[in-house]
Amino acid sequence: MSNGAVVAAVLGYGDVEEIKRDQENAAFRLAYLLDLPGSTHESLLVLSKVLYLVIEEAVVPHVRSVPDMVDETGRMASKAAPLDEDLRLAAARGFGVDGDGDSVTAVYRVCDRAVRFLFKAIVISRGETDQP
């Protein structure tokens, strides 16, 4: 199963093309699964970027390759976290982490959490966590 097929299934879509056509709602569904408010356009844009990166660019390593998993998760989260300060601050408000003081770290952590959630779904779909 491809990353896109797994993400589509997790979010309740029939295929990845539905996610591409319905990006804002797909991001809202991800926010819901992560118990995030996801209440601003900007926070949903960030989650849409997470979805895009996991579907189109991520190379999810084997579950037992912890260093590679950490590296790829960090790479995806870093790419998803906005560099623009206004966008980042608005996203932090939407995620409910604007009181953390450091919006760079706060938004990165949300992106990291979202990426880890989706990576876990992909790893499970590949049967890597099954007992022998």
Side-chain angles (χ1 to χ4, degrees), residues 20-128:
K20 292 177 181 178
R21 286 190 303 271
D22 197 25
Q23 290 179 24
E24 190 164 326
N25 283 323
F28 186 80
R29 290 178 184 195
L30 180 58
Y32 176 80
L33 288 170
L34 296 171
D35 288 327
L36 295 169
S39 61
T40 65
H41 174 71
E42 295 82 2
S43 61
L44 295 176
L45 279 175
V46 171
L47 290 178
S48 290
K49 180 88 181 251
V50 168
L51 290 169
Y52 169 81
L53 290 167
V54 171
I55 290 168
E56 299 293 337
E57 293 186 19
V59 178
V60 183
H62 191 277
V63 70
R64 290 187 180 90
S65 181
V66 175
D68 292 339
M69 186 68 79
V70 169
D71 289 348
E72 186 68 356
T73 302
R75 188 174 79 82
M76 293 294 108
S78 293
K79 287 180 87 168
L83 297 175
D84 179 78
E85 184 176 6
D86 292 334
L87 176 58
R88 188 177 57 250
L89 290 171
R93 276 192 301 280
F95 292 138
V97 295
D98 54 324
D100 289 2
D102 179 3
S103 67
V104 173
T105 301
V107 172
Y108 172 85
R109 284 182 180 151
V110 171
C111 292
D112 181 74
R113 183 174 156 206
V115 171
R116 279 186 290 115
F117 174 82
L118 294 170
F119 277 17
K120 285 179 180 181
I122 292 164
V123 165
I124 287 170
S125 78
R126 296 190 307 212
E128 293 177 15

